[in-house]
Amino acid sequence: VNTNPVDTTPPTITPTITGTLGTNNWYTSNVTLSWSVIDNESTATTCDAVTVSSDQAETGYTCTATSAGGTASNTVTIKRDATPPTATASA
């Protein structure tokens, strides 16, 4: 009799994004993206954290994790603009 449970579900992937969120979902500071990968039935691969420290247009970041129950992916988008506008005046 096999008493080992069988993993039938892929891991759950949850993103955590920290930074100062401004207007229209633009971050106005450095942004850190970390991933929580959980599979209660078997060991799952993990994903590395990402730091966005330069201005960028909307960019997708994906975590793909695998366990005995399969593979799952989660994608988030981050856009960063921490550069203040410049203004010039003329007479």
Side-chain angles (χ1 to χ4, degrees), residues 21-40:
L21 190 57
T23 306
N24 295 322
N25 293 318
W26 284 90
Y27 285 89
T28 59
S29 68
N30 287 347
V31 181
T32 301
L33 167 63
S34 58
W35 303 95
S36 170
V37 178
I38 298 174
D39 190 318
N40 293 325

Side-chain angles (χ1 to χ4, degrees), residues 30-87:
N30 287 347
V31 181
T32 301
L33 167 63
S34 58
W35 303 95
S36 170
V37 178
I38 298 174
D39 190 318
N40 293 325
E41 299 169 317
S42 67
T43 301
T45 58
T46 60
C47 296
D48 294 331
V50 174
T51 299
V52 179
S53 57
S54 298
D55 291 353
Q56 67 179 26
E58 187 171 315
T59 303
Y61 295 90
T62 301
C63 173
T64 301
T66 303
S67 71
T71 300
S73 291
N74 192 341
T75 300
V76 297
T77 57
I78 296 174
K79 48 189 185 176
R80 180 188 184 272
D81 184 1
T83 304
T86 57

